[in-house]
Amino acid sequence: MAVAAMQLADWIQAIAQLAFLLIFVLLFFGFNQRIQIYMWSRDIKAKLRILEGMARESRKKTLDFMLKHKARDAEKILNQVIDFFVIEPVSIEPTDIIKRLDHLFDTRRRRFKDEFSKAMPEVDEVARSKAETAAEIASALNFIYRIVRHILLLSEKTRNWILIMQLQLLMPQILRIAETYRRALDDFISGVPIGDAAGPLVAVKLANYNGSWRHVDDETVYAVTNYEGREVILVKAKGPGSSVGRPGYATERLIEEYVNRGVKPSLLITVDAALKLEGEDSGVVAEGVGAAIGDPGPEKIRFERIAAKYGIPLRAVIVKMSLEEAIRAMTKQIYEGVEKAVQRVASIIKSESKPGDLVVVVGVGNTIGVGQ
Amino acid sequence: MVDGGSLEWLQPLLLIVMLMAIIALTLRQASELRRMQEQASKKTKTLTIINCGDSGRVERSFKEGDYVGKRVSECKNGEGLIEAIYTIEEKPAPKQGSAPQSQGSPQGAKSKWGLLKGLRRNYSKL
């Protein structure tokens, strides 16, 4: 009995030694990496399914919203919008690149507007703009899902474990962004002001909620008010629909008109929401020099050009917030930041202009939920 | 191979180290799960603030169609103006024996993996 037990122990020892040897040899052939890649791939696939669900959910919500507002061919239009793309202009020849970029963005904007006007002729502009933004969010979520899937499949196909590792490390961040977009969709559909509406809200507050607003173009409005003896022109996107308007174009046009009448503004102030750095508090107001606007170029350059052309000091006031706060319903903390920004703009006007001067204040950002 | 006589003390030591590592990992995962659940269970409430002029301000829940600058007749002395719309964090209700349910998992996730599965289950229904 004792001999049999000892023999069994010897066999177990021999098998264990063989297994260790085998594992040791396999390590030289990258066995550990393969296991790790398998685990990373599984993790990415699990999160990819969540991304797919988000893309599908946002599409369904957008479609429901469009159908609720009696949209014609809603599904066809949504499919078109979700796959819509803009090809960047040639950048190795930079001459007139801004003009070309502006033209492309303008074409895109008109295309979207026309499609939704044709599909939803019976509803007001506000509902139409909400549908447009909802479709853009659905498009963004669909894009995130497709890109992640593409990288995963490509890295599996080419056995590129560095790509898989990078994707796996980035997945929590990607999921966080996607989740922010998913939640933002509900806020846009219900028409609540978002954090990015800080700029337009500052303009409305400076007009004391009752300025006489006029159109500069179909999506941008302005009002003239008086602040301690200064004539103040306020510019913002036309609300309460979801729109960022064309603040650069509107400001340029208004300043040119006033200069032609013989009045040159003595100060140009842009107010916008800006992304805070991790660790910074939300709703903090900061000021600086330059155009506070997050556009890819065409609108921002108009501020810089018109200010440089007439030697107008270009000042910027920002309300700091995270990406989540910028595209989701405005929090109380951000609203308090808006109130502080109003005071900061007022103090800049008082200290950097004289009574009788003309000052331009531009509230930059999406004006959803903020009328005029 | 290890001589059973002189290194007998090594076995229980290895066992203790392994047990401690497992406990540490479990605690770490539990605290991560708690943080995720706290994040998911944060509920917000959107408020509409109406300026009623001399009679002060009225605060109510946001209704679809509200926007800043809209004139509404919800004041005692007639018309008011929507001055602000913002969200506040709702304080969690006091616990009554049961743990709060997570938004991602209807049954209340029991583990991080459970939370992930809950999210997946919710989205696959669509």
Side-chain angles (χ1 to χ4, degrees), chain A residues 65-122:
Chain A
F65 181 79
M66 288 172 74
L67 291 172
K68 190 180 141 193
H69 289 90
K70 295 167 190 166
R72 297 170 193 163
D73 290 332
E75 197 146 4
K76 187 185 149 204
I77 284 165
L78 195 57
N79 287 341
Q80 276 177 5
V81 169
I82 280 179
D83 282 334
F84 204 86
F85 58 86
V86 176
I87 300 170
E88 278 183 31
V90 175
S91 57
I92 51 167
E93 165 56 288
T95 312
D96 76 357
I97 189 166
I98 287 292
K99 201 174 162 190
R100 286 181 278 135
L101 196 62
D102 195 17
H103 175 66
L104 292 177
F105 286 153
D106 198 38
T107 310
R108 179 187 179 275
R109 192 165 39 230
R110 282 182 197 287
R111 198 68 247 121
F112 267 52
K113 223 177 161 103
D114 287 352
E115 286 293 340
F116 281 90
S117 299
K118 270 190 266 171
M120 302 164 79
E122 290 155 33

Side-chain angles (χ1 to χ4, degrees), chain A residues 14-44:
Chain A
I15 290 166
Q17 276 187 353
L18 196 69
F20 270 115
L21 192 72
L22 200 67
I23 289 168
F24 191 68
V25 170
L26 283 173
L27 287 181
F28 281 101
F29 293 100
F31 182 62
N32 54 335
Q33 270 172 11
R34 276 173 188 264
I35 293 176
Q36 209 159 25
I37 290 168
Y38 172 74
M39 283 167 70
W40 284 335
S41 295
R42 269 188 65 89
D43 185 53
I44 296 168

Side-chain angles (χ1 to χ4, degrees), chain A residues 324-344:
Chain A
E324 190 171 341
E325 287 167 326
I327 63 169
R328 291 210 53 212
M330 186 179 280
T331 60
K332 194 178 181 192
Q333 214 176 358
I334 304 294
Y335 180 75
E336 284 163 359
V338 168
E339 288 182 324
K340 283 180 216 154
V342 173
Q343 287 164 11
R344 187 69 71 92

Side-chain angles (χ1 to χ4, degrees), chain A residues 91-161:
Chain A
S91 57
I92 51 167
E93 165 56 288
T95 312
D96 76 357
I97 189 166
I98 287 292
K99 201 174 162 190
R100 286 181 278 135
L101 196 62
D102 195 17
H103 175 66
L104 292 177
F105 286 153
D106 198 38
T107 310
R108 179 187 179 275
R109 192 165 39 230
R110 282 182 197 287
R111 198 68 247 121
F112 267 52
K113 223 177 161 103
D114 287 352
E115 286 293 340
F116 281 90
S117 299
K118 270 190 266 171
M120 302 164 79
E122 290 155 33
V123 296
D124 60 351
E125 257 180 73
V126 176
R128 226 179 285 151
S129 71
K130 283 182 191 173
E132 258 181 67
T133 310
E136 284 192 45
I137 292 175
S139 170
L141 282 167
N142 187 50
F143 182 72
I144 293 172
Y145 163 65
R146 284 189 299 141
I147 286 288
V148 171
R149 187 184 57 182
H150 165 75
I151 298 172
L152 176 69
L153 294 178
L154 184 74
S155 52
E156 277 184 344
K157 202 187 265 182
T158 56
R159 294 180 182 276
N160 188 339
W161 65 271

Side-chain angles (χ1 to χ4, degrees), chain A residues 5 92 94 104 119 133 146 153 166 173 188 200 208-209 224 246 274 368:
Chain A
I92 51 167
L104 292 177
T133 310
R146 284 189 299 141
L153 294 178
Q166 284 177 327
Q173 220 170 325
F188 272 101
N208 212 14
Y209 295 94
V224 182
R246 298 186 66 193
I368 186 151

Side-chain angles (χ1 to χ4, degrees), chain A residues 4 17 65 72 108 111 113 115 126 174 191 200 204 210 217 232 234 237 244 246 266 285 313 334 341 349 361:
Chain A
Q17 276 187 353
F65 181 79
R72 297 170 193 163
R108 179 187 179 275
R111 198 68 247 121
K113 223 177 161 103
E115 286 293 340
V126 176
I174 293 171
V204 170
N210 59 5
D217 69 355
V232 181
L234 300 161
V244 290
R246 298 186 66 193
S266 60
V285 175
I334 304 294
I349 294 174
V361 179

Side-chain angles (χ1 to χ4, degrees), chain A residues 195 198-199 201-202 205-206 269-277 280-289 292 315-322 325 330 332-348:
Chain A
L201 194 51
V202 168
K205 277 181 168 285
L206 282 166
I269 307 171
T270 50
V271 190
D272 195 9
L275 289 186
K276 70 177 177 108
L277 300 174
E280 283 185 319
D281 288 329
S282 299
V284 170
V285 175
E287 64 172 81
V289 168
R315 302 283 269 110
V317 174
I318 54 162
V319 182
K320 293 185 185 183
M321 60 190 79
S322 65
E325 287 167 326
M330 186 179 280
K332 194 178 181 192
Q333 214 176 358
I334 304 294
Y335 180 75
E336 284 163 359
V338 168
E339 288 182 324
K340 283 180 216 154
V342 173
Q343 287 164 11
R344 187 69 71 92
V345 171
S347 98
I348 292 173

